[in-house]
């Protein structure tokens, strides 16, 4: 079994990827999408979004980070994919699932799920452009408004030459409403000959086992569950007890320090607040820090967290 950290734009950035992969249990990350329009992205821009490109395409813990592209122009996607591969990316993933209206207006993300032929063209073009030893993969939802094209989309990805695919078991119309339609993962897995990575609604160790049982998929991608419970993947792999707050707090402090090292002073507390806001559902202790940040008493919070980090 491989456990993969999901791409989460605006949430799972380089610092969280660093922290979560050092906590352990994660075999692979997919970075948040990079939007491709009509030009070649610059190295500077790519290194800002996926800084792991500067360190062999891996996090500090040595976990590979695949770069995800979002767009609808096959030629442009292929040219950018080749460039990103030349920068040392350990894999290129193509986004066929993003539901954001601005993205879909330009024909990228989930809107392509209505056009399996175009998905095939894109995957084939990217596969041709990238050296054979570098995996080209895709991530899809089950459809735009319904699941009628789900199997056709999966077949298009496989026939285009993708090495494996992730399926987020929801349509765009489902948004993030539970439950995810795990039963569709089994259908897709039986339809295509490439590896299918299962994704959607894994919050606990038991969820992961249930998802694997229902879908028959070996590998699982986890998104929000890994942010809420940073040791989730580690526990799935080891069967260890859940991490207590005292153990987690130094990791939160480390995260905050990384933010402060690379961001404008006013932005770091906002990002910390975002993570604490999610952590507090699993860790009541995070609630206190979260409320202090909400009250803009950031220096108090900083002092507390960093004291624990010394
Ligand atoms: C804040 C946020 C940002 C996301 N950004 C991306 C993205 O950049 N690319 C992508 O393919 N999926 C993105 N997703 C979808 C996740 O990768 C994943 O498919 C989804 O959250 C379901 O998995 P989960 O139930 O384990 O969270 C995002 C999800 C969230 C919540």
């Amino acid at each position: 079994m491989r456990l993969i950290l999901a791409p989460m734009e605006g949430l799972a950035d380089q610092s969280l990827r660093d922290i979560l992969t050092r906590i352990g249990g994660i075999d692979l990350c997919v970075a948040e999408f990079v939007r491709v329009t009509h030009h070649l992205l610059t190295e500077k821009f790519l290194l800002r979004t996926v800084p792991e490109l500067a360190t062999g395409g891996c996090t500090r813990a040595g976990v590979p980070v695949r770069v995800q592209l979002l767009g609808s122009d096959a030629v442009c996607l292929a040219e950018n994919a080749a460039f990103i591969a030349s920068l040392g990316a350990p894999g290129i993933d193509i986004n066929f699932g993003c539901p954001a209206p601005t993205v879909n207006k330009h024909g990228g993300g989930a809107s392509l799920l209505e056009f399996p032929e175009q998905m095939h063209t894109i995957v084939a073009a990217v596969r041709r452009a990238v050296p054979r030893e570098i995996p080209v993969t895709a991530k899809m939802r089950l459809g735009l408004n319904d699941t009628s094209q789900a199997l056709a989309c999966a077949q298009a990805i496989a026939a285009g030459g993708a090495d494996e695919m992730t399926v987020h078991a929801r349509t765009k119309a489902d948004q993030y409403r539970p439950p995810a339609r795990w039963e569709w993962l089994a259908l897709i897995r039986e339809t295509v000959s490439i590896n299918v990575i299962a994704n959607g609604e894994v919050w606990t160790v038991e969820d992961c086992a249930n998802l694997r049982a229902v879908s028959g998929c070996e590998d699982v991608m986890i998104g929000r569950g890994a942010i809420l419970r940073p040791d989730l993947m580690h526990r799935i792999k080891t069967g260890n007890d859940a991490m207590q707050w005292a153990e987690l707090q130094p990791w939160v402090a480390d995260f905050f320090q990384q933010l402060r090292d690379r961001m404008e002073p006013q932005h770091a507390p906002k990002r910390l607040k975002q993570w604490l806001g999610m952590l507090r559902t699993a860790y009541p202790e995070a609630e206190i820090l979260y409320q202090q940040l909400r009250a803009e008493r950031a220096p108090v919070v900083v002092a507390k967290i960093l004291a624990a980090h010394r």
Side-chain angles (χ1 to χ4, degrees):
M1 169 180 57
R2 287 180 309 157
L3 292 176
I4 298 142
L5 180 65
M8 283 178 283
E9 202 261 330
L11 186 57
D13 63 1
Q14 74 229 54
S15 300
L16 263 183
R17 288 195 292 271
D18 172 68
I19 299 289
L20 296 180
T21 54
R22 280 161 63 212
I23 288 175
I26 298 174
D27 298 288
L28 177 70
C29 301
V30 180
E32 66 272 36
F33 69 77
V34 174
R35 198 187 309 254
V36 171
T37 49
H38 301 297
H39 57 275
L40 200 58
L41 297 165
T42 63
E43 182 172 350
K44 190 171 163 206
F45 171 82
L46 289 162
L47 284 171
R48 209 169 48 228
T49 315
V50 193
E52 292 93 341
L53 285 170
T55 52
C58 291
T59 66
R60 200 185 331 183
V63 176
V65 182
R66 290 182 183 164
V67 178
Q68 187 184 67
L69 300 182
L70 186 148
S72 56
D73 181 328
V75 174
C76 210
L77 283 163
E79 280 175 9
N80 277 285
F83 178 54
I84 294 167
S86 79
L87 296 179
I92 304 287
D93 189 63
I94 307 168
N95 180 316
F96 295 123
C98 183
T102 45
V103 164
N104 284 261
K105 210 169 62 202
H106 294 102
S111 65
L112 288 167
L113 295 167
E114 297 271 275
F115 306 101
E117 325 75 51
Q118 202 181 341
M119 292 170 67
H120 176 274
T121 305
I122 288 172
V123 174
V126 172
R127 181 61 282 179
R128 270 196 307 275
V130 170
R132 187 59 252 176
E133 65 277 11
I134 299 177
V136 168
T137 59
K139 179 163 176 283
M140 60 173 268
R141 283 190 180 231
L142 295 176
L144 199 57
N145 297 311
D146 57 48
T147 54
S148 59
Q149 299 264 58
L151 297 182
C153 290
Q155 280 163 336
I157 290 171
D163 295 271
E164 57 181 349
M165 74 172 88
T166 303
V167 181
H168 176 190
R170 288 189 178 91
T171 64
K172 181 197 163 198
D174 291 338
Q175 296 184 9
Y176 286 91
R177 268 190 309 278
R181 308 178 195 222
W182 289 350
E183 65 285 359
W184 269 95
L185 299 169
L187 286 173
I188 290 175
R189 188 180 54 73
E190 284 158 14
T191 303
V192 297
S193 53
I194 61 173
N195 188 42
V196 175
I197 301 165
N199 171 237
E201 291 299 311
V202 171
W203 302 95
T204 64
V205 175
E206 295 71 36
D207 289 342
C208 186
N210 291 339
L211 170 57
R212 293 179 78 225
V214 171
S215 66
C217 293
E218 183 67 19
D219 302 331
V220 175
M221 175 182 276
I222 303 180
R224 295 160 300 163
I227 309 291
L228 251 70
R229 295 178 178 80
D231 63 341
L232 177 58
M233 325 285 239
H234 189 247
R235 278 191 291 130
I236 292 170
K237 286 275 179 70
T238 61
N240 282 6
D241 288 341
M243 195 184 250
Q244 299 302 305
W245 175 253
E247 228 181 310
L248 180 60
Q249 188 163 319
W251 291 108
V252 177
D254 187 334
F255 174 70
F256 191 40
Q257 189 58 51
Q258 290 190 32
L259 299 179
R260 295 200 317 150
D261 288 345
R262 69 181 167 89
M263 286 181 174
E264 298 291 324
Q266 69 273 25
H267 295 317
K270 284 189 201 143
R271 285 282 290 112
L272 176 63
K273 193 172 85 178
Q274 181 193 36
W275 192 23
L276 288 170
M278 297 182 78
L279 284 175
R280 69 198 167 133
T281 59
Y283 294 95
E285 297 90 338
E287 176 73 29
I288 300 159
L289 297 174
Y290 176 79
Q291 291 304 341
Q292 282 179 325
L293 277 174
R294 271 194 73 191
E296 296 187 355
R297 290 168 58 200
V300 179
V301 176
V302 173
K304 265 198 163 177
I305 292 180
L306 292 182
H309 190 42
R310 272 202 297 269

